[in-house]
Amino acid sequence: MTMIAGIVMLGILVFVHELGHYCVARLAGVKILKFSLGFGPKLISKTWGETEYLVCAIPLGGYVQMLGEGGGEQGEDAELTAAERERSFSDKSVARRLAIVAAGPLMNLMLPFLILPISFMVGVEFPAYVDQPACIGYVVPGSEAANAGFSAGDCLQTLNGESLADWTGANKALINNAGDELKFTVVRQAGFAEVVLSDDNGSLEGLQAIGLLPLQPAVVGSLMPDMPAAAAGLQAGDQILELSGMPISSWYDLKHLIQQSEGKSVDLLVKRAGSELTLPLQPKLHESGAWLIGIGPEQETVRKKFGLFAAFREGAERTIELIDLTLVFVQKLFTGSVSAKNIGGPITVVQVAGQAAQANVSAVLSVLAFISIQLGILNLLPIPILDGGHILFYTFELVFRKPLSIRAREILQQIGLALLLMLMVLAFYNDLARIFWSS
């Protein structure tokens, strides 16, 4: 079901993209031959008026086929009648062709302005710590942060001179500085200190990517059936104080010590309703290779609902922030400041979308907005084959009053196709690596 939900959500974004091309082409008087969701063999086909509407077997994109789209300069309009030529894409002015091509990615960029306000009106849940000062609850052993000298209890004050008011601001600042040397000012019991970290991995996932985690008490929030914790009598709300005599100060300590047990029986000292009790249990080996006892942490969340005007304001601000972060990522990717391992393909998109679909309406709309922005910006890149490449060609024609030569376009399109294929191969490789080889 997760995969199906993800494919449906991806289909919605493809539909919005192609609808942009379709609507502007119709307004410009261009004849639409086909409107397809997906590629490959037809699954569903219906003709209304002069347009064939399709759903095809490979749900990784779509297309709008217009009369004369191949380019009249190559003689492809030669057999059209005068009436048909008037409705040919290639017969339209450069400005109209430019508008038709740009409409797809612009629709993807506009969509979040419409759906994120709905998310804020429905109500957005987020961890309670995100609006709190960025004080470190746990430093992952062996991480970049641990190697740089961070300690649990450090409170982040500045990053490269920028003030950090809370976790949200710290994460945004970290992403904006991805690829740069990171100079943190922190507050400790002994006073102020500076911690310098060379960011080789881009830190695109925020503070967690470098090993800094918020305070997360070892309080049980959920239990999995038929697992050791449930069988031993552990209950939601229990706070785990010790594991076989080792003190537990955070959820992350618990995870680390369970892995160190290597399946041996352990005793949990638990605080429940003001009393302490000891529960023996034996961790179970999961197919992933990790030792589990079958519990989830208690997540303290805050749910906020906004009125109509406030929701549109918050939605617009969030959309602009996501566009900004995506542009930062693209810029740093091309300058080599972040690793190409951060590129995700259709498999990752479907997985993320599908997981959001299992949560709530707000999560679905937020993920749709984020992926829609990425799809829009990707298609605006000036790479031949993509919409951005065609925009580049038509801009050239608009400025120089003549189209780029056929030979030049062919060469650039071949280069663009090669780049796109390499990007797709890399994205699929990263997707598969995350599934089969991630630790």
Side-chain angles (χ1 to χ4, degrees):
M1 288 299 296
T2 298
M3 190 64 68
I4 294 174
I7 290 173
V8 170
M9 290 175 68
L10 182 60
I12 292 172
L13 297 180
V14 171
F15 173 77
V16 168
H17 180 95
E18 300 304 334
L19 185 64
H21 294 311
Y22 175 87
C23 291
V24 177
R26 288 290 298 268
L27 289 172
V30 176
K31 181 177 180 179
I32 309 296
L33 303 177
K34 293 182 180 181
F35 185 113
S36 177
L37 292 180
F39 302 105
K42 300 178 185 178
L43 297 179
I44 302 173
S45 174
K46 178 69 176 179
T47 299
W48 279 294
E50 59 190 15
T51 304
E52 181 184 9
Y53 299 88
L54 307 164
V55 176
C56 297
I58 305 175
L60 299 179
Y63 63 90
V64 170
Q65 183 181 347
M66 295 172 280
L67 180 67
E69 191 176 1
E73 73 274 7
Q74 299 184 50
E76 295 178 18
D77 285 352
E79 298 181 2
L80 299 180
T81 64
E84 288 176 326
R85 192 170 291 110
E86 287 183 2
R87 302 192 61 199
S88 168
F89 173 81
S90 60
D91 192 64
K92 299 303 176 183
S93 67
V94 180
R96 290 190 177 187
R97 280 180 276 151
L98 193 58
I100 292 169
V101 172
L106 290 180
M107 279 285 282
N108 284 126
L109 294 178
M110 290 170 56
L111 180 65
F113 286 100
L114 299 177
I115 63 176
L116 281 181
I118 299 174
S119 175
F120 283 101
M121 283 189 284
V122 169
V124 179
E125 284 193 12
F126 53 90
Y129 67 80
V130 298
D131 287 333
Q132 298 174 359
C135 294
I136 310 304
Y138 185 77
V139 181
V140 178
S143 66
E144 294 178 80
N147 295 333
F150 278 100
S151 302
D154 286 350
C155 290
L156 308 182
Q157 296 296 297
T158 66
L159 170 56
N160 292 349
E162 179 182 349
S163 295
L164 307 178
D166 49 36
W167 276 89
T168 299
N171 276 320
K172 183 177 179 181
L174 187 65
I175 295 171
N176 286 334
N177 285 277
D180 302 329
E181 183 180 63
L182 306 176
K183 293 183 178 180
F184 289 91
T185 300
V186 303
V187 175
R188 291 176 174 165
Q189 292 181 346
F192 287 91
E194 184 176 89
V195 181
V196 180
L197 187 149
S198 178
D199 182 23
D200 297 325
N201 296 322
S203 304
L204 293 169
E205 297 177 12
L207 294 172
Q208 291 189 1
I210 60 174
L212 296 178
L213 303 172
L215 182 63
Q216 177 71 66
V219 177
V220 178
S222 61
L223 293 102
M224 297 172 60
D226 303 322
M227 289 293 285
L234 214 61
Q235 298 178 7
D238 287 348
Q239 181 175 1
I240 301 173
L241 304 177
E242 294 182 1
L243 186 147
S244 295
M246 299 293 293
I248 303 295
S249 60
S250 76
W251 180 263
Y252 312 106
D253 289 328
L254 179 63
K255 289 178 62 176
H256 181 64
L257 291 174
I258 289 173
Q259 299 312 306
Q260 284 189 335
S261 73
E262 297 182 344
K264 297 177 183 177
S265 180
V266 297
D267 293 323
L268 297 182
L269 178 63
V270 173
K271 185 177 182 180
R272 179 186 299 170
S275 301
E276 295 183 0
L277 63 155
T278 300
L279 301 175
L281 57 80
Q282 186 171 6
K284 183 178 180 180
L285 185 63
H286 188 260
E287 60 185 15
S288 66
W291 294 100
L292 303 178
I293 62 173
I295 60 175
E298 182 179 70
Q299 298 285 358
E300 186 181 353
T301 60
V302 176
R303 184 178 182 85
K304 289 187 178 181
K305 287 187 177 182
F306 296 80
L308 180 63
F309 294 107
F312 273 94
R313 183 186 68 247
E314 294 290 332
E317 290 178 357
R318 180 60 176 158
T319 299
I320 293 170
E321 179 183 320
L322 289 173
I323 291 174
D324 179 55
L325 291 178
T326 303
L327 290 173
V328 168
F329 167 72
V330 172
Q331 181 262 323
K332 290 184 177 292
L333 181 66
F334 278 101
T335 58
S337 298
V338 300
S339 171
K341 293 180 181 179
N342 291 289
I343 296 174
I347 297 175
T348 295
V349 170
V350 169
Q351 284 182 328
V352 171
Q355 289 166 3
Q358 306 303 309
N360 52 53
V361 173
S362 179
V364 170
L365 295 177
S366 296
V367 170
L368 270 176
F370 182 56
I371 299 175
S372 188
I373 287 170
Q374 293 187 328
L375 184 61
I377 291 177
L378 172 66
N379 274 279
L380 284 174
L381 294 178
I383 300 175
I385 302 298
L386 296 178
D387 291 331
H390 293 291
I391 292 172
L392 182 65
F393 293 154
Y394 297 140
T395 301
F396 177 93
E397 186 174 349
L398 196 64
V399 171
F400 294 98
R401 307 293 182 180
K402 65 177 182 178
L404 201 62
S405 70
I406 296 175
R407 180 58 180 162
R409 290 183 62 167
E410 288 176 346
I411 293 174
L412 289 173
Q413 286 174 341
Q414 289 171 359
I415 295 172
L417 179 60
L419 289 173
L420 191 58
L421 288 174
M422 287 190 292
L423 181 63
M424 290 176 63
V425 169
L426 176 61
F428 272 109
Y429 173 81
N430 287 343
D431 286 349
L432 295 174
R434 292 186 187 101
I435 295 173
F436 295 108
W437 300 299
S438 61
S439 56

